Amino acid sequence: MRKPIVIANWKLNGGLDLICTSVASFIGKHFSAQIAICPPYLYMRDMMTFLQYSELQIGSQNVSRYESGAYTGETSAQMLKQAGCSLCLIGHSERRAMFAENNEGCRIKVRTAINHGLLPVLCVGENQEEREAGTTQQVLHKQMYEGLSGVDLSIGDLCVAYEPVWAIGTGLAATPQIAQDIHQYIRSELAKIFDQKTADRIRILYGGSVNKNNANELLKQKDVDGLLVGGASLDPGHFLAICERASELTA
Ligand code: 13P
């Protein structure tokens, strides 16, 4: 059975106050799901000091494709690992759209993350135009093949997050049925890129307007193994409720 995973992506939001209230709401609580928060880089160390009192993990919203050197503004996988990070998002649609990230770069980042013991979470998803044109599967196919082919999973694991761009920050989450259909397609593609056994163990998260009201139905879908939460994760009580839903389903 795949262990559910819930990840908060704070994007360029939050500060010390949110760190304190978020971590405080998780202290002393037990979860059967894996839970992580991806704060802005600057706050990771602050968050880390509280982690011994909770089961929360820290993730990063990005990772450099480079190991070290003259790459101004970058943060390497090794640095993230040393700082206590467990996982990193790669190829979020906002990075693809606003910071020119491409599939080739994502593949290098996935490899780099695995090599340094971070769990890469490759984000894929179509935009509204692509959806209306009926090209969702082609878009996902390209993102996954170019983002993952040749990646060696014998030394590490991988997650894929399906985040339809039309659902991000719009309040219009994919229906549980749409999520299930696409996740099933993603898993079938993963089986072709790797093999069936590997595809069966890779966790596929859904992201896009997730909240405490729709989390349950989304998580009940056979191929939805977790959630990637943006806006709702900025409210600690709300995020906690989503994490509890994920944990209840595995209990
Ligand atoms: P929202 O939950 O705010 O739609 O954001 C989703 C997202 O982009 C998470 O990475």
Side-chain angles (χ1 to χ4, degrees), residues 142-162:
K142 190 168 162 60
Q143 288 174 336
M144 282 192 290
Y145 272 77
E146 294 182 6
L148 292 175
S149 49
V151 166
D152 178 7
L153 288 185
S154 65
I155 54 160
D157 225 335
L158 163 79
C159 286
V160 174
Y162 171 54

Side-chain angles (χ1 to χ4, degrees), residues 9 11 92 94 163 167-169 208-210 228-231:
N9 176 10
K11 308 187 182 185
H92 189 282
E94 287 151 15
E163 289 214 305
I168 295 178
S209 295
V210 170
L228 182 49
V229 189

Side-chain angles (χ1 to χ4, degrees), residues 69-89:
Y71 302 106
T72 303
E74 292 286 277
T75 305
S76 73
Q78 187 180 22
M79 291 169 184
L80 291 170
K81 186 67 186 174
Q82 278 175 357
C85 254
S86 305
L87 56 88
C88 59
L89 307 182

